[in-house]
């Protein structure tokens, strides 16, 4: 990803133990490495990569807490905000979103606390249709989205948007994911 974007690694320091303690599972090692290099932000002016402490817009933990609260709201009954998959609750099984696009595509890990470290990527298009499962790392999925024109339906390389990265902003109204 560094070569693809020409990015200079930031070397961000994160208290992963605290975050993983709240989630009660370890996060994927490659995701942590990506975040420490890039921080939260936008790839190719289109793909939002969520991190931590980048303001509300790019803080995956804040967004997860809100999604979990909505998903568990007793007024919703048994209906999940994300169809067949509930939002991950500590100790359980469900989704944690780590990315999205300006077209409302969603990128999540399917986390099962009984299988820590085995987190396939689930992605779905903006139409809210079926989830696509990818048994690959976060970085491989993100790389394929940005660089592989044949990675359908999520590859954006065919649109010739370039492979840039812009750090996130705390402004939720500046075209950011929220």
């Amino acid at each position: 990803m560094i070569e693809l974007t020409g990015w200079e690694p930031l070397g961000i320091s994160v208290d992963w133990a605290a975050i993983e303690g709240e989630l009660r599972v370890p996060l994927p090692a490659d995701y942590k490495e990506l975040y420490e290099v890039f921080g939260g932000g936008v790839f190719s002016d289109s793909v939002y990569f969520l991190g931590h402490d980048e303001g509300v817009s790019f803080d995956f933990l804040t967004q997860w807490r809100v999604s979990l609260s909505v998903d568990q709201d007793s007024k919703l009954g048994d209906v999940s905000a994300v169809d067949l998959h509930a939002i991950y609750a500590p100790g359980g099984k469900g989704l944690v979103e780590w990315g999205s696009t300006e077209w409302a595509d969603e990128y999540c890990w399917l986390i099962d606390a009984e299988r820590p470290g085995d987190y396939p990527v689930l992605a779905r298009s903006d139409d809210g249709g079926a989830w696509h499962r990818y048994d690959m790392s976060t970085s491989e999925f993100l790389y394929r989205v940005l660089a592989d024109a044949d990675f359908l339906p999520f590859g954006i390389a065919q649109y010739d948007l370039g492979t840039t990265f812009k750090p996130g902003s705390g402004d939720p109204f500046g075209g950011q994911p929220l």
Side-chain angles (χ1 to χ4, degrees):
M1 293 297 301
I2 293 169
E3 286 181 32
L4 184 65
T5 60
W7 187 251
E8 287 293 322
L10 296 175
I12 297 170
S13 178
V14 178
D15 184 357
W16 294 116
I19 295 169
E20 293 169 336
E22 182 174 347
L23 294 169
R24 295 194 344 224
V25 292
L27 290 170
D30 73 302
Y31 165 78
K32 293 188 283 190
E33 290 172 19
L34 276 171
Y35 179 74
E36 289 170 0
V37 166
F38 290 97
V42 185
F43 287 95
S44 301
D45 293 325
S46 305
V47 178
Y48 303 114
F49 179 71
L50 304 181
H52 185 61
D53 292 332
E54 296 294 328
V56 173
S57 296
F58 286 94
D59 187 344
F60 91 92
L61 202 54
T62 298
Q63 291 194 28
W64 167 73
R65 289 178 192 129
V66 169
S67 296
L68 180 61
S69 175
V70 169
D71 204 44
Q72 292 182 337
D73 186 331
S74 61
K75 291 182 269 184
L76 294 176
D78 292 334
V79 178
S80 170
V82 288
D83 298 336
L84 299 176
H85 298 286
I87 299 299
Y88 170 77
K93 181 178 181 178
L95 300 178
V96 173
E97 185 173 349
W98 58 265
S100 61
T101 67
E102 69 174 318
W103 307 286
D105 293 347
E106 298 174 82
Y107 307 144
C108 303
W109 297 298
L110 178 58
I111 295 179
D112 183 344
E114 293 182 14
R115 299 181 65 183
D118 179 22
Y119 307 142
V121 173
L122 290 188
R124 73 174 171 183
S125 298
D126 64 342
D127 61 5
W131 288 98
H132 300 263
R133 179 184 171 124
Y134 298 92
D135 291 310
M136 61 180 63
S137 69
T138 307
S139 12
E140 181 181 355
F141 180 85
L142 187 55
Y143 181 87
R144 302 253 335 255
V145 165
L146 297 172
D148 183 351
D150 296 323
F151 189 57
L152 301 175
F154 301 106
I156 65 169
Q158 71 266 21
Y159 302 121
D160 198 26
L161 300 173
T163 49
T164 60
F165 181 76
K166 293 180 187 168
S169 146
D171 175 13
F173 303 107
Q176 311 308 332
L178 265 188

